[in-house]
Amino acid sequence: METLQKCALVVTIIGALNWGLIGIFDFNLVTFLFGSGTIMTRIVYSLVAITGIINIGILFNHIKPE
């Protein structure tokens, strides 16, 4: 599970960097690479969303029930 979370974290970081590019430079790397509204663009955005959900587990990883 740790390997999955690390891979998910990498994808989430890449997604966050893309949002940074959008916010700072108004440049969307995903649409630049795959086009606007294509199936690949939707897959990339969906993958980033799924990895974000997986990374929620990192928040609760070290909480032990008493």
Side-chain angles (χ1 to χ4, degrees), residues 20-37:
L21 287 173
I22 293 169
I24 297 170
F25 301 111
D26 195 25
F27 176 73
N28 189 334
L29 184 62
V30 176
T31 57
F32 177 77
L33 293 175
F34 301 112
S36 180

Side-chain angles (χ1 to χ4, degrees), residues 36-56:
S36 180
T38 64
I39 190 70
M40 261 322 273
T41 302
R42 292 174 59 98
I43 290 171
V44 169
Y45 288 142
S46 298
L47 183 63
V48 171
I50 291 167
T51 58
I53 292 167
I54 291 171
N55 285 327
I56 291 172

Side-chain angles (χ1 to χ4, degrees), residues 1-17 45-63:
M1 186 67 169
E2 184 177 333
T3 303
L4 173 66
Q5 283 183 328
K6 285 184 181 181
C7 291
L9 187 58
V10 169
V11 174
T12 305
I13 290 168
I14 292 169
L17 292 174
Y45 288 142
S46 298
L47 183 63
V48 171
I50 291 167
T51 58
I53 292 167
I54 291 171
N55 285 327
I56 291 172
I58 292 174
L59 291 173
F60 305 105
N61 198 18
H62 299 292
I63 298 175

